Amino acid sequence: MTGPAPAFSRLFAKELPPPAPRWVGFPTHNFVGGHNDPTQIPVAALAEAATAVLGRSGSALAMYNSDGPQGCRALREFVVRKVAGRADITCATDDVLITSGSGQGLDLVNRLLVEAGDTVLVEQFSYAGALSKLRRLKASIVEIPLDGDGLRTDALAHILDDLARTGIVPKYIYTMPTIQNPTGSILTAERRGELVAIARRHGVPIFEDECYADLIFDPDVPPSLYAMDSRQVIHIGSFSKTLSPALRLGYMIADWDIMSRLVACKREADSGTGALEQMIVADYFSKSFDQHVGALSRVLNGKLDAMVEALEAEFGTAVEMFRPKGGIFLWIKLPDAIDVRKLVAPAAEAGIAFNPGPEWACNPDSAKPYMRLCFALPSKDQIRDGVAALARVCFEQTGIPARSANVGRAAAGPSA
Ligand SMILES: Cc1ncc(COP(=O)(O)O)c(C=O)c1O
């Protein structure tokens, strides 16, 4: 028998997502998602931290939210210290909410502000998860152009003026100023000032997503937007990229008038984020954050070099690369004639997974020759093998790239 029992299928709620396929394991060449480097998980130190925190305060696990609904106090204290040092943010533990991944932060901000038909401003290329959440809510997404320095504030000013003329005040401007996903840019200090001033003038909140901001290859980064105006900005961050996505820990920072509403929304959404994970991360990162993210960023930068070299060798001039200033992804562009969506299935058959650009764009068709490759999970050898395999699939499907490591590819030619 296939399909759900009739009693269920007749009763399903409207607008469910399509059924999930059964999981068959990870592909051989895995360039998708936001996985981390397995060699950089500090397994022994986390085991030590777990023993220490369970010995010290394990009995607190008897309660829901033993430090209150905003999460483990020690972790919030760590966040306060970390953002003071790295993002120039002055805040108190009451301004911090620990979330079940920063993805929950996106849901909470949407719960707070967005209803069907509302307008939200999003960077031209943006986090697929944020776009899909907004589409599900039937928000009207207006794109803000990007360039190598991040969000284009000149264009933003025009967009907001145009919207104002039609009486529309967007619910928020969603931006990733430090290591934009997927382009990897860092918004300049000058543009940060302009962005905050424009948002203030129009009375539009800024939603600052700093998911990758601690994984930077050059430590010279301007202050966060929240540091520039805490009344205009909601700030979120994640421990997924600095430590482990499987721990499902993120955080939000907002002034109390907004925070009090976010805490109420989180209470409605769940009964609190896992306490043991919070205690372990607080203990480990209170001692080792700078050293850990410093070492991790160096490893990631080395893997990025390996990926750039492999793409140069395999794709030559057929690929344009947008080298990120940190993080775990490389955004690339193939020739305009290629629609990467048509490569997804043949690549999967060859054991390769990549993120097609259209899923990372406000206007999917505008990103059809783009793809996003995550370099954190595979080893350097796996990166080289995977990029070579990807180039083979691309050639078989499109005739591009015609040469590999400066040698003409097999005369077989493209199959489609
Ligand atoms: C920009 C951005 N924000 C938020 C998230 C959500 O991550 P998590 O829920 O693991 O913290 C991601 C995940 O990749 C992301 O790229």
Side-chain angles (χ1 to χ4, degrees):
M1 292 238 306
T2 56
F8 281 94
S9 58
R10 279 201 308 275
L11 300 173
F12 280 158
K14 285 194 277 299
E15 300 190 23
L16 285 180
R22 279 187 205 277
W23 194 66
V24 289
F26 285 119
T28 312
H29 306 295
N30 191 354
F31 296 131
V32 291
H35 303 294
N36 218 320
D37 185 323
T39 68
Q40 298 303 301
I41 301 297
V43 177
L46 292 179
E48 211 176 285
T51 306
V53 298
L54 281 169
R56 251 190 339 256
S57 30
S59 58
L61 295 175
M63 283 159 280
Y64 286 94
N65 297 316
S66 64
D67 282 342
Q70 285 174 253
C72 167
R73 173 162 292 278
L75 188 57
R76 284 184 287 135
E77 285 168 353
F78 165 71
V79 170
V80 168
R81 288 196 301 278
K82 175 185 86 79
V83 297
R86 293 184 161 252
D88 278 345
I89 291 176
T90 307
C91 67
T93 50
D94 270 1
D95 303 326
V96 179
L97 170 64
I98 303 299
T99 53
S100 304
S102 60
Q104 185 176 46
L106 292 163
D107 287 331
L108 295 178
V109 169
N110 287 340
R111 174 80 180 102
L112 184 71
L113 295 171
V114 181
E115 291 169 291
D118 283 344
T119 297
V120 175
L121 266 51
V122 178
E123 289 161 331
Q124 169 188 10
F125 303 125
S126 188
Y127 169 43
L131 287 167
S132 63
K133 286 176 197 292
L134 288 170
R135 289 186 181 125
R136 197 166 60 237
L137 289 169
K138 299 191 169 37
S140 165
I141 299 172
V142 174
E143 74 172 54
I144 320 164
L146 290 166
D147 65 17
D149 287 332
L151 175 157
R152 273 189 40 210
T153 40
D154 58 333
L156 173 70
H158 288 303
I159 292 167
L160 283 170
D161 286 345
D162 287 348
L163 289 171
R165 271 193 285 280
T166 58
I168 294 173
V169 181
K171 286 301 183 81
Y172 61 75
I173 300 164
Y174 175 62
T175 181
M176 290 159 273
T178 315
I179 313 302
Q180 206 273 343
N181 180 3
T183 60
S185 66
I186 295 183
L187 191 69
T188 60
E190 193 185 352
R191 285 198 190 173
R192 286 176 194 236
E194 288 164 1
L195 168 56
V196 171
I198 295 166
R200 231 187 251 149
R201 197 162 68 237
H202 285 270
V204 181
I206 298 173
F207 182 11
E208 175 177 46
D209 186 343
E210 290 282 65
C211 200
Y212 304 92
D214 293 319
L215 294 180
I216 39 172
F217 303 149
D218 172 355
D220 200 13
V221 172
S224 67
L225 302 171
Y226 187 85
M228 299 171 89
D229 189 345
S230 66
R231 297 199 57 77
Q232 196 69 37
V233 183
I234 298 176
H235 178 104
I236 65 169
S238 179
F239 294 107
S240 291
K241 318 300 164 171
T242 48
L243 185 55
S244 150
L247 288 172
R248 308 307 307 128
L249 286 179
Y251 58 88
M252 313 183 76
I253 303 177
D255 272 10
W256 180 250
D257 50 349
I258 301 303
M259 179 53 72
S260 59
R261 308 308 295 250
L262 292 169
V263 173
C265 292
K266 175 154 163 75
R267 276 183 142 162
E268 185 190 70
D270 66 21
S271 305
T273 293
L276 186 55
E277 292 87 330
Q278 296 185 60
M279 288 152 65
I280 294 171
V281 173
D283 188 85
Y284 172 64
F285 268 167
S286 294
K287 296 173 195 145
S288 317
F289 186 75
D290 287 339
Q291 176 218 326
H292 175 84
V293 294
L296 176 57
S297 302
R298 281 190 292 280
V299 169
L300 293 173
N301 205 2
K303 286 187 165 188
L304 171 60
D305 284 341
M307 181 169 271
V308 167
E309 280 160 26
L311 284 161
E312 272 166 0
E314 296 293 340
F315 284 83
T317 55
V319 68
E320 188 180 344
M321 293 182 247
F322 301 85
R323 195 182 165 105
K325 297 188 170 155
I328 57 178
F329 310 114
L330 177 61
W331 183 239
I332 65 170
K333 181 176 179 293
L334 297 173
D336 287 325
I338 295 180
D339 184 342
V340 300
R341 289 171 290 203
K342 296 187 180 150
L343 300 182
V344 173
E349 264 173 47
I352 311 157
F354 66 88
N355 288 123
E359 291 175 12
W360 258 254
C362 292
N363 172 1
D365 285 339
S366 71
K368 67 184 179 56
Y370 290 84
M371 60 172 81
R372 197 192 73 155
L373 301 172
C374 174
F375 49 82
L377 176 67
S379 66
K380 286 184 182 175
D381 281 344
Q382 288 167 334
I383 288 173
R384 287 187 270 271
D385 291 349
V387 168
L390 179 63
R392 264 194 310 276
V393 169
C394 191
F395 172 71
E396 282 161 17
Q397 300 298 314
T398 69
I400 295 170
R403 303 178 78 75
S404 160
N406 231 10
V407 177
R409 287 184 189 275
S415 58

